[in-house]
Amino acid sequence: MRLLLAVWMGKLYMHLARAFHMGGGTSFPGILARKIEPATLRKLSLRLKQGAVMVTGTNGKTTTNKMLNNILKQVGISPIYNLSGANLPGGVTTAFLDHATLMGRPKSDLALLEIDEAAMPRVAADVVPRVVIVTNFFRDQLDRYGELDHTVALIRSALATLPASSTVLLNADDPLVSSLGKDLAAQVIYFGLEDARQEAGEKFQTADAKFCTNCGAEYSYSAVYYGHLGKYRCPRCGNARPDPQIYASSIEIEGMQRSRIHVVTPQKQFSLTLNLPALYNVYNALAAVGAALSLGIEVEAIRKGIESVSSAFGRMEKISIEGKEVVMALVKNPTGFNEVLHTLLSDKQPKKLMILINDNPADGEDVSWLWDVDFEMLAEPGIVESTVVSGIRAGDMAVRLKYAGADVGRLRIDGDFKSAFRSALAGVNPGETLYVLPTYTAMLDLRKFIHKMGYVKNFWEE
Amino acid sequence: MFLRICHLYPDLMNIYGDRGNVIALQKRSQWRGIETEVIQATVGRSYDFRQFDIVFFGGAQDKEQKLVCADLQSASQELQTRQGDSLRMAVEDGAVVLGICGGYQLLGEYFRTGEGEVLPGLGIFDAYTVAGNRRMIGDVVVESPFFPGAPQKTLVGFENHSGQTFLRNGLQPIGRAVIGNGNNGQDRFEGAVYKNAFGSYLHGSLLPKNPWFADLLIERALERKYGDKVELASLEDDLEILAHDSASKRAATRPRLAT
Ligand SMILES: [Zn+2]
């Protein structure tokens, strides 16, 4: 009875929030329902016929989930799906409420959930997942999570509670992630890369995962893909990268548009075209393949589903304004920012850039991370035609570019993102592209502004 | 002129973008025609730190901090001292040292962790650190007497630490935290100074948006090396001042929990 009341109140709030454009519609209904019936999420999730898939880790959660969602579409399942950003218990519960009947039954058989790393233990206490994916661990918004080791420990404690019927998919190439595979009751499957041509990644600067999770000695790497992902081995205790059961044996990156990969799994091998650039999306695809296979989905549906996810680079959005292209890619941590820059610069055409850095809680209040991004690559002559810098911390960004050796004469700084965007756009000729790199809340602000300017309605709702 | 800069344990002690401090020292020297060389010092090797003009020591996670601590306590065969003693002798000799966060803590006498483990420090600062039960996170603005001629007399940065550092026997802090916690959240002191060694909790990175601090370090290093009073050529610092002022404004307006 309490459950029904919780469902009704939550749904009521959700409708009101939508009707009156109140804030908090993505997580407050769930929080409210949990106040009325703390077991709301547990009870609703028990009624899922096919269980839940959870994706956690620093980068790639949203893209991996999107791939899985498209795969499920191929087999006629439309899962319960939480919006990116609504990945705490309140947001997850809201997603369940949204997909529940008034009698408290889920309308879908399956839930596809993106879970914040720090929230994993709390969510997993309510929803026993059938499949869990852990993508990678990078330093991200440390001011929110404390230290990376702590985050890893949280996920470890969540995975330790899973029964043998659950499957855990772990990135073999990330030593912090692969270390989670020890001593679990659940079945563990590793995914990774096995293409020697990609082994020329730059040695990492930062200390995300330099030391053996077992004995503390420094890992030696025989290959680095990017960041601390690669083929590592502890010279002292022998702790090493596990052989992945699901891997990409050949990867052809084709600029900012796509890559072609050959995927090997214990069941079958197949090629697929990934309409997303860069190695990190290969990992996302492998994770999605693994999860879909665990759900018993056929290879053909998997291939079609993954191929239907596209964007020109990263989690990118694209819009035409008066014959000019605006391409927007979210930046939120050094690794992601470096990947975006690498992708952006890969075709050697001079670029017009706009960078927006905010320091709200959702962006990370500490902007120190900008110093871990290799902006030095922008200093190469002829690579950047102009840069407009904006956002609450435009000053910090401008100083970073100056010390990276960028041409300060071509730098325009405007703390007001609206006028900054207008002037950046004015500097682009019809047929040209403006590349916009915002942090999370800067992206939300800019979307709203572009929407108000009257350009393309549902464009952002991809 | 020429400056040798040592980045201590850059692979271990480089969290929160502290490498920006080394970049700032390099660039601000180079822009004035002072050549620089940066040596990246790593675990397991021995260095005579007196040969460096500036040593930078950044922050780290707990696990890495322990490794660094062990390395500093380890004996150097060539020098017949411990690594840490070599650094302490350099400070006595007037070398410029900047330690941030974990590096700052290790320049003190010891760091007692939350589990009660005591990590010995170098004792350069008459100060000690104990783990607190809350993490001190947020913007910091420090009023400091060290920059009388600068356009601003403050330092701005971002702190993120649970260790509480206490200065003893009148050891001088860098300044007073007017916003944020500083050393321990109690006495409002931020940082420590002994001779030309400075310790601070401020990330940010600290030096790029507090260029007067970077210049103070460069000046002191040149004076030690070349013996004369040094007057650094002034630089165009519009962007740095903009970053400083906007950080300072942000610190003042950001809603924060009562401490
Ligand atoms: Zn080991």
Side-chain angles (χ1 to χ4, degrees):
Chain A
M1 203 47 223
R2 261 206 330 230
L3 175 67
L4 285 185
L5 185 65
V7 170
W8 294 340
M9 292 305 289
K11 284 177 102 62
L12 180 65
Y13 185 90
M14 211 179 303
H15 287 297
L16 291 174
R18 276 176 202 158
F20 298 106
H21 302 286
M22 301 189 295
T26 58
S27 60
F28 193 76
I31 295 171
L32 182 69
R34 293 168 73 89
K35 284 238 163 71
I36 298 165
E37 165 57 288
T40 299
L41 182 56
R42 180 175 328 165
K43 289 184 173 168
L44 288 177
S45 69
L46 280 173
R47 297 174 178 178
L48 290 169
K49 291 199 186 87
Q50 299 211 42
V53 177
M54 288 182 191
V55 185
T56 192
T58 311
N59 292 328
K61 292 191 285 284
T62 307
T63 308
T64 305
N65 246 4
K66 195 167 167 186
M67 288 174 174
L68 274 168
N69 193 32
N70 285 20
I71 293 169
L72 290 169
K73 239 187 246 168
Q74 298 293 324
V75 294
I77 299 175
S78 89
I80 295 176
Y81 191 92
N82 62 331
L83 293 169
S84 109
N87 54 13
L88 299 169
V92 174
T93 310
T94 302
F96 272 82
L97 291 174
D98 199 16
H99 289 76
T101 65
L102 284 174
M103 295 309 293
R105 302 250 154 225
K107 290 180 205 162
S108 320
D109 291 343
L110 191 133
L112 188 53
L113 304 172
E114 170 183 334
I115 311 290
D116 181 274
E117 301 92 285
M120 263 305 273
R122 280 177 292 154
V123 178
D126 281 347
V127 184
V128 179
R130 185 166 156 198
V131 179
V132 177
I133 295 170
V134 185
T135 58
N136 49 55
F137 289 118
F138 286 98
R139 291 192 286 132
D140 184 20
Q141 302 179 17
L142 272 178
D143 45 323
R144 190 149 62 96
Y145 294 139
E147 300 183 341
L148 198 54
D149 295 339
H150 178 62
T151 305
V152 177
L154 283 174
I155 308 270
R156 189 186 305 282
S157 70
L159 297 183
T161 64
L162 299 184
S165 54
S166 297
T167 301
V168 178
L169 285 145
L170 300 176
N171 188 333
D173 297 345
D174 183 331
L176 289 175
V177 174
S178 72
S179 74
L180 294 170
K182 272 175 229 136
D183 307 322
L184 295 185
Q187 193 201 344
V188 176
I189 297 174
Y190 292 100
F191 59 93
L193 308 187
E194 289 288 358
D195 182 346
R197 291 167 303 169
Q198 305 295 336
E199 293 179 1
E202 280 163 47
K203 193 97 172 91
F204 45 95
Q205 287 276 331
T206 49
D208 283 350
K210 240 180 124 53
F211 300 97
C212 177
T213 49
N214 206 20
C215 75
E218 188 171 350
Y219 282 124
S220 71
Y221 277 76
S222 61
V224 176
Y225 296 119
Y226 74 90
H228 59 268
L229 304 195
K231 294 186 172 170
Y232 48 88
R233 181 168 215 294
C234 172
R236 192 192 292 165
C237 76
N239 179 21
R241 168 187 182 260
D243 287 330
Q245 295 103 308
I246 295 175
Y247 57 90
S249 62
S250 132
I251 302 160
E252 311 273 354
I253 303 265
E254 297 182 4
M256 285 163 56
Q257 298 305 320
R258 66 183 68 82
S259 34
R260 292 181 207 284
I261 62 176
H262 189 75
V263 180
V264 180
T265 77
Q267 293 93 332
K268 262 182 187 164
Q269 13 184 312
F270 56 98
S271 294
L272 63 82
T273 302
L274 203 52
N275 292 303
L276 297 165
L279 281 182
Y280 58 85
N281 282 312
V282 176
Y283 283 105
N284 296 335
L286 293 171
V289 167
L293 287 173
S294 304
L295 295 173
I297 297 172
E298 293 294 328
V299 163
E300 195 46 31
I302 294 175
R303 199 179 54 74
K304 276 193 186 150
I306 291 179
E307 290 187 346
S308 70
V309 177
S310 69
S311 77
F313 84 102
R315 274 171 71 182
M316 186 226 59
E317 303 176 295
K318 204 170 178 178
I319 184 174
S320 296
I321 300 181
E322 288 156 6
K324 303 166 182 181
E325 292 272 280
V326 175
V327 167
M328 184 147 90
L330 176 70
V331 290
K332 55 175 187 173
N333 55 33
T335 312
F337 210 142
N338 280 336
E339 283 287 314
V340 165
L341 291 180
H342 277 299
T343 311
L344 196 63
L345 302 182
S346 64
D347 66 358
K348 304 280 176 206
Q349 297 294 316
K351 297 287 187 304
K352 293 181 175 172
L353 299 183
M354 176 174 183
I355 306 178
L356 296 109
I357 305 298
N358 277 0
D359 64 351
N360 293 313
D363 305 297
E365 295 184 16
D366 182 4
V367 294
S368 301
W369 64 278
L370 294 177
W371 290 90
D372 285 330
V373 180
D374 299 324
F375 290 106
E376 282 73 11
M377 68 179 110
L378 295 181
E380 202 179 306
I383 258 187
V384 177
E385 221 176 304
S386 63
T387 312
V388 176
V389 175
S390 188
I392 299 168
R393 299 306 285 268
D396 284 83
M397 187 62 230
V399 168
R400 177 68 189 100
L401 288 173
K402 176 180 177 181
Y403 283 80
D407 182 354
V408 179
R410 293 191 180 177
L411 203 62
R412 205 157 56 243
I413 301 147
D414 183 349
D416 176 54
F417 77 92
K418 293 176 184 172
S419 62
F421 181 67
R422 281 203 199 92
S423 78
L425 204 57
V428 174
N429 301 316
E432 287 184 347
T433 304
L434 172 68
Y435 293 91
V436 182
L437 313 179
T439 59
Y440 185 67
T441 67
M443 179 188 71
L444 297 186
D445 290 344
L446 189 60
R447 279 176 176 180
K448 244 187 246 163
F449 178 61
I450 294 177
H451 184 75
K452 263 199 191 138
M453 287 167 76
Y455 296 100
V456 193
K457 267 207 178 127
N458 295 321
F459 163 70
W460 308 112
E461 290 169 10
E462 253 292 85
Chain B
M1 289 190 280
F2 176 74
L3 288 177
R4 290 186 85 208
I5 301 170
C6 172
H7 191 173
L8 258 185
Y9 311 113
D11 44 355
L12 296 167
M13 306 290 276
N14 183 29
I15 194 167
Y16 311 116
D18 287 327
R19 71 171 167 150
N21 293 312
V22 175
I23 298 174
L25 291 169
Q26 258 180 302
K27 293 286 178 183
R28 298 187 70 79
S29 299
Q30 288 164 7
W31 290 333
R32 295 175 164 113
I34 302 161
E35 283 179 62
T36 59
E37 181 189 10
V38 176
I39 287 96
Q40 311 210 322
T42 55
V43 164
R45 294 192 46 196
S46 54
Y47 299 90
D48 181 351
F49 290 105
R50 282 172 302 194
Q51 294 173 359
F52 296 107
D53 303 307
I54 304 179
V55 177
F56 175 74
F57 196 2
Q61 304 196 49
D62 292 351
K63 197 164 62 183
E64 281 79 25
Q65 192 167 0
K66 274 182 204 166
L67 287 165
V68 163
C69 177
D71 192 63
L72 287 168
Q73 297 300 327
S74 71
S76 154
Q77 290 181 344
E78 292 143 62
L79 302 174
Q80 319 226 311
T81 60
R82 293 175 309 152
Q83 275 304 305
D85 292 331
S86 164
L87 185 55
R88 212 177 48 219
M89 277 156 21
V91 170
E92 291 299 341
D93 194 49
V96 172
V97 175
L98 174 63
I100 300 289
C101 204
Y104 169 33
Q105 292 170 344
L106 287 179
L107 294 178
E109 264 170 35
Y110 63 84
F111 175 41
R112 198 172 68 227
T113 69
E115 292 82 47
E117 191 182 348
V118 173
L119 302 181
L122 304 185
I124 289 170
F125 294 135
D126 192 353
Y128 64 96
T129 304
V130 289
N133 45 20
R134 75 185 169 104
R135 214 167 166 82
M136 295 178 272
I137 303 178
D139 301 291
V140 187
V141 178
V142 178
E143 277 175 5
S144 171
F146 280 91
F147 320 105
Q152 311 289 15
K153 308 328 180 225
T154 49
L155 297 177
V156 292
F158 195 94
E159 64 182 341
N160 189 343
H161 56 112
S162 51
Q164 301 176 310
T165 300
F166 295 91
L167 312 186
R168 286 195 295 215
N169 300 319
L171 184 70
Q172 189 182 13
I174 290 180
R176 212 180 122 77
V178 287
I179 296 176
N181 293 283
N183 283 346
N184 49 50
Q186 295 170 23
D187 57 26
R188 311 236 50 99
F189 287 158
E190 158 52 32
V193 185
Y194 173 71
K195 294 197 168 187
N196 286 335
F198 296 81
S200 170
Y201 273 114
L202 303 196
H203 303 287
S205 295
L206 175 62
L207 297 182
K209 61 186 159 211
N210 299 285
W212 32 92
F213 193 16
D215 289 353
L216 176 80
L217 301 180
I218 294 170
E219 227 169 67
R220 294 223 182 159
L222 291 173
E223 282 171 2
R224 168 186 177 238
K225 187 165 193 169
Y226 296 103
D228 303 321
K229 177 86 188 116
V230 171
E231 195 80 48
L232 289 178
S234 70
L235 296 172
E236 180 78 70
D237 280 336
D238 293 3
L239 294 180
E240 289 84 345
I241 293 169
L242 172 74
H244 178 279
D245 291 353
S246 58
S248 168
K249 199 169 115 204
R250 185 66 171 147
T253 55
R254 198 196 282 285
R256 60 174 61 238
L257 299 169
T259 47

